[in-house]
């Protein structure tokens, strides 16, 4: 019976080593994703700075606040649904 225990232990060790190799190999994916996020942030910054150079001659603070209120009223339920779905998928 000792032979079977050794086989089971060796399989468990090899699985653990395989998981460690996968995690270490996944580090390349993480670097790629960090670079991708950095590029998206840089592009967003450039676009934002380009758009803010032009002056809005028909600017109205009342209109701006109304638009922001509508945006938040639309986003709050959407964010709530996304959080509920994530909770349902991850913990149910």
């Amino acid at each position: 019976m000792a032979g079977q225990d050794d086989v089971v232990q060796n399989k468990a060790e090899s699985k653990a080593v395989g998981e460690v190799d996968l995690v270490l190999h996944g580090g390349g994916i993480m670097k790629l994703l960090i670079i991708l996020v950095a590029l998206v942030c840089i592009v967003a910054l450039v676009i934002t700075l380009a758009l803010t150079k032009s002056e809005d001659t028909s600017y109205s603070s009342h209109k701006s606040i109304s638009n922001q209120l509508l945006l938040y009223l639309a986003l709050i339920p959407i964010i709530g649904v996304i959080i509920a779905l994530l909770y349902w998928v991850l913990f149910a």
Side-chain angles (χ1 to χ4, degrees):
M1 286 294 180
Q4 287 180 342
D5 291 338
D6 290 340
V7 170
V8 170
Q9 184 177 3
N10 287 340
K11 284 184 180 180
E13 288 175 1
S14 67
K15 182 178 179 184
V17 169
E19 289 173 358
V20 170
D21 289 342
L22 181 63
V23 170
L24 292 176
H25 182 67
I29 295 171
M30 182 63 84
K31 288 178 186 176
L32 178 67
L33 290 175
I34 290 172
I35 291 169
L36 180 65
V37 167
L39 288 174
V40 168
C41 289
I42 290 170
V43 169
L45 177 64
V46 169
I47 291 173
T48 300
L49 292 175
L51 289 175
T52 57
K53 285 184 179 179
S54 62
E55 185 178 338
D56 188 5
T57 56
S58 63
Y59 176 78
S60 164
S61 62
H62 179 69
K63 182 179 176 184
S64 176
I65 292 172
S66 297
N67 286 340
Q68 190 173 13
L69 176 66
L70 291 174
L71 182 69
Y72 282 128
L73 288 176
L75 283 178
I76 289 172
I78 293 171
I79 292 171
V81 167
I82 291 171
I83 290 172
L85 286 173
L86 283 173
Y87 181 80
W88 181 66
V89 167
L90 294 176
F91 300 111

